[in-house]
Amino acid sequence: MSDIGDTLLDEAFLEALAVDIGADGVAEAARIFLDDAPARVLRWRQGETALRREAHALAGSARAVGLSRLGEAASTVQRAVEAGAAGPDATRRLETLLAESTTALEVWLAAQRL
């Protein structure tokens, strides 16, 4: 899954990150992301201000753990909120992509045996 064009998880990014911060550091970052993700969904349901803030945070944290598609989708939702054009479909798609992405990250993390 290293081609980020159509995949959820950029494994090549995570491998390069492991060179920089170590495998344990990557595993810790992944676990923090996975622990924080469910609460983000609950918070962004509190209104547009919360949605903009959480989408912004999700964009950065997703990219930091190799979830580039999710990061881009979160950035798109953030921009839509800022433009006053975010509807329920955008958040539903983001929730779906978040669920798929967290599953991909969990599977990768389990395969690493860290």
Side-chain angles (χ1 to χ4, degrees):
M1 277 195 209
S2 60
D3 175 19
I4 64 169
D6 290 339
T7 62
L8 296 172
L9 182 64
D10 183 353
E11 292 181 20
F13 172 83
L14 292 175
E15 290 168 9
L17 185 60
V19 170
D20 290 340
I21 67 171
D24 289 341
V26 173
E28 181 179 359
R31 286 186 190 102
I32 290 169
F33 177 86
L34 292 168
D35 288 345
D36 289 348
R40 290 205 186 284
V41 174
L42 294 175
R43 287 190 300 263
W44 79 41
R45 290 178 180 161
Q46 295 173 357
E48 285 194 358
T49 300
L51 176 57
R52 189 206 60 75
R53 183 180 58 248
E54 293 303 323
H56 174 80
L58 180 61
S61 63
R63 289 180 178 124
V65 293
L67 298 170
S68 301
R69 271 182 55 199
L70 178 60
E72 184 55 38
S75 290
T76 298
V77 168
Q78 178 190 351
R79 289 189 301 273
V81 170
E82 291 168 350
D89 285 345
T91 55
R92 277 194 294 273
R93 285 192 302 271
L94 189 58
E95 285 183 38
T96 299
L97 185 56
L98 177 60
E100 293 168 352
S101 297
T102 55
T103 298
L105 187 58
E106 288 168 341
V107 167
W108 177 86
L109 189 59
Q112 305 309 303
R113 293 180 170 75
L114 297 173

